[in-house]
Amino acid sequence: MSVGSPISRVWPAPATGPLTDPELATLYGRAGRPHLRVNFVASADGAVTLDGYSEGLSGEPDKRVFGLLRMLCDGLVVAAGTLRHEGYRAVRLSEPRRAWRREQGLTEYPTLVVVSGSLDLDPAQAAFADAPVRPVVLTRDAAEPPPGLTDVADLVRCGADRVNLAAGLAELRRRGLDQLLCEGGPHLFGALTAADLVDELCLTVAPLLAGAGPGRITAGDASAPRHLPLRHVLAAGDGTLMLRYARDPDGAPPAGAAPAA
Ligand SMILES: NC(=O)c1ccc[n+]([C@@H]2O[C@H](COP(=O)([O-])OP(=O)(O)OC[C@H]3O[C@@H](n4cnc5c(N)ncnc54)[C@H](OP(=O)(O)O)[C@@H]3O)[C@@H](O)[C@H]2O)c1
């Protein structure tokens, strides 16, 4: 791909020269065990949205890493709120990224996993209707699907009053989805944090002040603080920072060669 704003490593060991996609893929990698990675973009003053959406915070360096993280995962987990609000489309990857996955023995595309207690979902939304792999919906035991939803997605029922996220993730892992990437939103991240299910946070900090108003990357009921060590700091030429925090230092073993696209 053409790189508009080169990304360099500034911590722990500054690397000379811009990072290539294969080097970035190795820095993020796939963990050697079941792993939940969460990815967000925020402004320097902590806002999760600009004019109601994440798009205004996400420049070219963030989009580049966002795409690489999708390439690296088995399951792409998103809450229904974000799926509806951001109008999620089907998960697509470029041919070089699909080829990289084939070389690693992975399916060509990750599986989209939607977390929804209400099942207020539109089966005609492209995320479902055009999905290259049948999506999975984690939901409550008694939730009623709208007409057509079970034609385009598998329902996994876990939890009476609300979706039991630990049980849901265990079922995903039973289905072979070990490396999970969660793209939000804030209420799902807050619930995953409260349930102590987050192994890694990838946080892009956009170099702008959004001002008062927007929420944070986490929302919902309060929970105990949890220590999450910093593992790397990358900086793009436009001032965007990309921070990776993870429980385990070896969360990202070498991922092999990655495509240049
Ligand atoms: N900056 C970023 O990187 C980024 C990333 C993602 C989203 N966002 C922004 O965040 C906003 C949406 O976030 P949000 O916090 O309102 O909603 P959210 O976390 O995306 O979705 C909340 C919904 O998730 C479903 N859910 C089911 N079980 C849950 C559980 N156990 N815990 C938590 N959620 C569960 C529920 O869906 P049902 O209603 O179907 O039951 C609930 O209403 C949008 O403005 C979006 O643009 C920003």
Side-chain angles (χ1 to χ4, degrees):
M1 70 182 284
S2 66
V3 175
S5 191
I7 299 174
S8 324
R9 187 171 69 197
V10 295
W11 191 89
T16 46
L19 294 163
T20 62
D21 275 7
E23 288 168 335
L24 281 170
T26 300
L27 275 175
Y28 285 94
R30 285 170 56 86
R33 63 187 76 81
H35 190 84
L36 176 67
R37 165 181 282 161
V38 177
N39 185 33
F40 272 96
V41 60
S43 66
D45 56 354
V48 72
T49 54
L50 210 56
D51 299 326
Y53 294 90
S54 57
E55 173 64 24
L57 298 168
S58 176
E60 182 264 340
D62 178 61
K63 289 189 169 66
R64 185 174 165 208
V65 169
F66 180 93
L68 283 168
L69 296 187
R70 283 187 165 193
M71 179 188 80
L72 291 166
C73 74
D74 301 318
L76 177 59
V77 182
V78 64
T82 291
L83 179 101
R84 290 187 290 255
H85 184 77
E86 298 260 349
Y88 258 54
R89 288 185 248 161
V91 177
R92 296 282 171 202
L93 297 177
S94 66
E95 171 47 34
R97 288 183 179 167
R98 297 204 304 277
W100 181 88
R101 290 178 63 89
R102 287 193 297 270
E103 282 161 20
Q104 306 298 313
L106 306 176
T107 55
E108 273 202 23
Y109 296 94
T111 301
L112 178 70
V113 178
V114 179
V115 182
S116 172
S118 70
L119 289 184
D120 177 14
L121 301 170
D122 179 2
Q125 183 171 344
F128 295 112
D130 299 340
V133 178
R134 192 172 161 85
V136 173
V137 179
L138 303 183
T139 191
R140 294 180 297 113
D141 297 343
E144 269 299 315
L149 186 64
T150 54
D151 295 340
V152 294
D154 285 351
L155 300 191
V156 171
R157 297 184 180 278
C158 43
D161 301 330
R162 56 187 312 190
V163 180
N164 180 325
L165 295 168
L169 296 199
E171 173 58 21
L172 296 177
R173 281 157 183 162
R174 201 188 62 72
R175 293 173 176 229
L177 307 180
D178 273 345
Q179 306 294 309
L180 298 172
L181 170 66
C182 175
E183 294 183 344
H187 279 91
L188 179 57
F189 182 35
L192 288 167
T193 302
D196 199 17
L197 294 169
V198 177
D199 296 306
E200 178 176 336
L201 171 65
C202 296
L203 176 64
T204 296
V205 181
L208 61 88
L209 298 178
R216 293 168 54 201
I217 63 171
T218 192
D221 296 338
S223 60
R226 297 183 193 284
H227 187 60
L228 198 61
L230 182 65
R231 300 297 175 189
H232 76 214
V233 178
L234 310 181
D238 66 357
T240 300
L241 286 179
M242 273 148 289
L243 314 173
R244 178 175 170 269
Y245 300 86
R247 287 205 237 237
D248 300 320
D250 62 343

